Amino acid sequence: MLEDKLLIWKFNRGSREALRSIYEKYKDDLVTLAAALLTDKNLAEDVVHDVFVSFIESARKFRLTGSLKGYLATCVANNARNRIKANQRRYGVALDDANPAAADSNNPEHRAIFGENLGRLSGALEQLPYEQREVLILHSYSGMRFKKIAAQQKVSINTVQGRYRYAIDKLRSMLNGEVRK
Amino acid sequence: MRPADNINQLIKQLQLKASADLDKRVHDKITKAPA
């Protein structure tokens, strides 16, 4: 946290080294977060690229109020959500619907991205409605509080907690083989 | 323990590496950023 504050202080004074340090420190976590949200590594890298381009442009006026990692994770989640929304507007699918392109939790593409064991998890994640997947990943992977997720999704904390419980239950069912599509 | 017994633990294990291509794209932008 202190180290991040120092990096931001330098960043706001035009230090490219500070920017490089911030990128190197958080890049893998942010790519993982975006890939878990979008279940597509190439798209995930585009999201992280765009987030850092915007971050670079905020130099000299950036003010950190919480944690830097939390701020960047929020930017990644917003960017990923906007891409999903744009895609769904194009194809006429609601954000709350499960991804119709999701085949099953044994999809080889997911195994290629995350490896054999976690690929199954990634395939199951893709079958969740986006809002539920977002709550689960932001809370369980990024450690974001339900209150903050509720503010991002513009819904109540109860709704967010409900989405979390549904997501956990569905994933558990899918991974235990109780649900076969 | 079956894989689904602890979803949270599994999710925390997700870990990808940024590709060399992404590194290059971002570092190029940083290099071009005004100092």
Side-chain angles (χ1 to χ4, degrees), chain A residues 126-151:
Chain A
E126 192 176 8
Q127 294 179 66
L128 296 177
Y130 185 77
E131 305 283 18
Q132 290 178 21
R133 183 163 76 234
E134 187 180 69
V135 170
L136 181 65
I137 296 299
L138 289 178
H139 184 70
S140 299
Y141 182 76
S142 295
M144 202 175 281
R145 291 174 188 271
F146 288 134
K147 187 179 175 185
K148 189 169 181 185
I149 300 171

Side-chain angles (χ1 to χ4, degrees), chain A residues 60-125:
Chain A
R60 297 182 191 281
K61 53 182 188 284
F62 181 78
R63 294 288 173 268
L64 184 64
T65 51
S67 78
L68 179 56
K69 185 180 178 183
Y71 169 80
L72 292 170
T74 299
C75 292
V76 164
N78 288 341
N79 192 302
R81 170 181 268 261
N82 289 340
R83 282 169 188 261
I84 291 273
K85 276 185 181 170
N87 232 15
Q88 289 172 335
R89 269 198 301 272
R90 195 173 306 144
Y91 298 111
V93 182
L95 201 61
D96 264 336
D97 290 347
N99 184 345
D104 60 59
S105 57
N106 288 313
N107 187 330
E109 279 180 35
H110 295 284
R111 293 203 300 274
I113 295 172
F114 285 105
E116 189 67 37
N117 292 332
L118 296 177
R120 208 164 154 246
L121 169 68
S122 172
L125 282 171

Side-chain angles (χ1 to χ4, degrees), chain A residues 7 15 42 49 62 81 84 112 155 174:
Chain A
L7 287 171
S15 166
N42 290 330
H49 173 265
F62 181 78
R81 170 181 268 261
I84 291 273
V155 294
M174 281 189 266

Side-chain angles (χ1 to χ4, degrees), chain A residues 14 16 20 23-24 27-29 32 35 41 45-46 49 56 60 113-114 118 136 140-141 164 175-176, chain B residues 2 4 7-8 10-19 22-23 25-27 29-31 33-35:
Chain A
R16 291 193 187 100
R20 288 188 209 285
Y23 171 71
E24 291 298 327
K27 63 180 185 177
D28 292 341
D29 282 349
T32 306
K41 195 183 176 201
E45 295 212 334
D46 286 346
H49 173 265
I56 291 166
R60 297 182 191 281
I113 295 172
F114 285 105
L118 296 177
L136 181 65
S140 299
Y141 182 76
Y164 177 77
L175 293 176
N176 280 337
Chain B
R2 287 188 298 181
I7 302 289
N8 280 317
L10 269 180
I11 288 173
K12 286 190 179 95
Q13 288 175 28
L14 292 172
Q15 192 60 56
L16 293 178
K17 295 265 179 216
S19 69
L22 177 64
D23 286 349
R25 285 159 69 198
V26 174
H27 283 295
K29 295 282 183 190
I30 292 172
T31 302

Side-chain angles (χ1 to χ4, degrees), chain A residues 18-69:
Chain A
L19 255 177
R20 288 188 209 285
S21 297
I22 292 168
Y23 171 71
E24 291 298 327
K25 186 174 180 182
Y26 293 117
K27 63 180 185 177
D28 292 341
D29 282 349
L30 296 175
V31 167
T32 306
L33 169 63
L37 290 171
L38 297 165
T39 60
D40 180 318
K41 195 183 176 201
N42 290 330
L43 211 51
E45 295 212 334
D46 286 346
V47 165
V48 174
H49 173 265
D50 289 356
V51 164
F52 268 92
V53 167
S54 298
F55 185 63
I56 291 166
E57 288 167 358
S58 73
R60 297 182 191 281
K61 53 182 188 284
F62 181 78
R63 294 288 173 268
L64 184 64
T65 51
S67 78
L68 179 56
K69 185 180 178 183

